[in-house]
């Protein structure tokens, strides 16, 4: 019971940390997008929004990969594309 419960606790803590990180990244994306729309500076803010969206997709892909769901691979691809476009437009 000792080794199995420790591993289960670690997995659950990791899952909770990924969920918190996903929520934080989503809030940052919404705040930056809202700021860009209100001030009319979407061209300046857009690369940073794309980088945070890529981070959020990466976290979501890791979470889905841990659950062995097939949506993980497209999520990794979308994160990579988002990172490439974000870095290219900086």
């Amino acid at each position: 019971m000792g080794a199995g419960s420790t591993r289960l606790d670690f997995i659950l803590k990791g899952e909770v940390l990924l969920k918190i990180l996903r929520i934080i990244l989503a809030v940052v994306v919404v705040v930056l997008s809202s700021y860009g729309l209100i001030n009319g500076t979407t061209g300046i803010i857009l690369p940073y929004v794309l980088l945070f969206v890529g981070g959020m997709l990466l976290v979501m892909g890791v979470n889905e990969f841990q659950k062995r769901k097939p949506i993980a691979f497209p999520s990794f691809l979308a994160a990579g594309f988002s990172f490439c476009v974000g870095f290219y437009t900086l």
Side-chain angles (χ1 to χ4, degrees), residues 3-83:
S5 65
T6 306
R7 184 172 180 191
L8 182 62
D9 290 341
F10 179 73
I11 290 172
L12 290 177
K13 286 180 186 175
E15 194 172 309
V16 170
L17 289 176
L18 285 175
K19 191 174 205 174
I20 291 170
L21 185 59
R22 185 180 66 192
I23 290 170
I24 290 171
L25 287 171
V27 168
V28 169
V29 167
V30 169
V31 167
L32 282 177
S33 299
S34 300
Y35 177 77
L37 285 173
I38 290 170
N39 290 335
T41 58
T42 54
I44 298 169
I45 302 287
L46 185 65
Y48 302 106
V49 171
L50 283 172
L51 291 175
F52 282 112
V53 166
M56 188 175 64
L57 285 167
L58 185 66
V59 169
M60 289 171 58
V62 168
N63 193 15
E64 298 299 323
F65 183 74
Q66 286 178 345
K67 296 177 184 177
R68 302 287 187 229
K69 291 189 177 178
I71 195 71
F73 184 68
S75 185
F76 287 137
L77 288 177
F81 180 75
S82 180
F83 280 134

